[in-house]
């Protein structure tokens, strides 16, 4: 069985979620249309949502699911397995679990703009900058992480460890 080394405690995640909510509520004072990315962002999103609600912000949300296929080329082909509700004219906040290459996120950002979103901002729990292949940055970042395979708090390794209350890495 894989050994999971602790990286970010539940307590640090909660504190950081509150800080992110301060930043986000400053930029979206009245309402937010959140698009969260299945499956990994589900726990982060629900914690974020509950904190945002304390600020009296109206929140609408919709989920998307993306599939990426690694072909022979280094850039994977991305498809939408589940598309978002109508985004026309809306100011969107994408909620992601982790950005690594940035390929799927860049695809999603362009997709939402093509569908008529007015603006698209990005919030990610984790940022693995070393792995970036396309130039994309999040507006709100929980934690920068080293180039290790991280799991927990929604993130999986072959379907496991999503239920951990903290973030760890596989040794
Ligand atoms: N862990 C889980 N899912 C991921 C990771 C990771 O380190 N990088 C990209 N997706
Ligand atoms: Mg993801």
């Amino acid at each position: 069985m894989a050994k999971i080394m602790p990286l970010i405690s539940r307590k640090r995640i909660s504190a950081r979620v509150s800080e992110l909510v301060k930043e986000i509520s400053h930029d979206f004072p009245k309402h937010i249309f959140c698009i969260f990315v299945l499956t990994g962002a589900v726990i982060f999103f629900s914690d974020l949502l509950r904190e945002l609600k304390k600020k009296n912000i109206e929140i609408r949300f919709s989920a998307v699911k993306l599939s990426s296929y690694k072909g022979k080329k280094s850039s994977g082909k991305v498809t939408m397995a589940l598309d978002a509700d109508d985004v026309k004219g809306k100011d969107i906040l994408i909620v992601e679990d982790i950005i690594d290459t940035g390929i799927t996120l860049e695809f999603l950002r362009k997709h939402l703009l093509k569908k008529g979103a007015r603006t698209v901002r990005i919030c990610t729990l984790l940022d693995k900058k070393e792995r970036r292949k396309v130039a994309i940055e999040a507006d709100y970042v929980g934690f920068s992480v080293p180039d290790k395979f991280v799991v927990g708090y929604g993130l999986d390794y072959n379907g496991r460890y999503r239920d951990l209350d903290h973030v760890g890495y596989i040794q």
Side-chain angles (χ1 to χ4, degrees):
M1 205 170 113
K3 190 167 182 205
I4 311 295
M5 305 300 289
L7 189 63
I8 309 167
S9 69
R10 172 67 231 175
K11 205 171 153 187
R12 281 182 67 207
I13 296 171
S14 299
R16 192 73 191 111
V17 166
S18 301
E19 287 170 4
L20 289 173
V21 161
K22 271 188 208 148
E23 293 176 37
I24 294 167
S25 60
H26 181 265
D27 297 341
F28 296 83
K30 292 202 180 104
H31 39 82
I32 311 183
F33 195 101
C34 290
I35 295 200
F36 68 98
V37 183
L38 292 172
T39 302
V42 70
I43 300 177
F44 177 47
F45 172 67
S46 53
D47 281 351
L48 211 55
L49 173 81
R50 278 180 283 233
E51 284 301 307
L52 283 165
K53 278 317 290 177
K54 294 181 187 167
K55 306 266 180 192
N56 255 331
I57 299 169
E58 186 206 353
I59 299 153
R60 290 191 236 173
F61 60 89
S62 179
V64 293
K65 195 169 172 87
L66 299 134
S67 309
S68 56
Y69 302 94
K70 282 266 187 269
K72 285 188 181 131
K73 284 187 241 152
S74 58
S75 64
K77 182 185 178 322
V78 185
T79 56
M80 301 288 304
L82 172 69
D83 204 348
D85 295 345
D86 187 19
V87 296
K88 216 174 226 139
K90 299 193 171 97
D91 296 304
I92 304 288
L93 181 67
I94 297 175
V95 180
E96 245 301 16
D97 55 353
I98 186 164
I99 311 180
D100 68 351
T101 63
I103 291 168
T104 52
L105 192 57
E106 180 60 5
F107 176 91
L108 177 60
R109 199 183 67 85
K110 284 189 178 151
H111 174 81
L112 296 173
L113 288 169
K114 219 185 294 172
K115 290 204 347 166
R118 209 168 73 95
T119 60
V120 178
R121 274 184 264 206
I122 298 162
C123 175
T124 187
L125 174 70
L126 306 175
D127 190 0
K128 212 193 264 185
K129 280 202 197 311
E130 278 173 66
R131 297 257 306 159
R132 205 69 99 251
K133 286 190 179 144
V134 293
I136 188 164
E137 294 304 327
D139 301 273
Y140 315 97
V141 177
F143 302 91
S144 288
V145 289
D147 188 10
K148 294 185 182 293
F149 202 86
V150 289
V151 294
Y153 195 65
L155 290 106
D156 76 311
Y157 172 63
N158 288 340
R160 292 192 65 195
Y161 311 115
R162 290 193 198 277
D163 60 339
L164 296 181
D165 71 347
H166 63 282
V167 172
Y169 65 90
I170 295 188
Q171 198 180 42

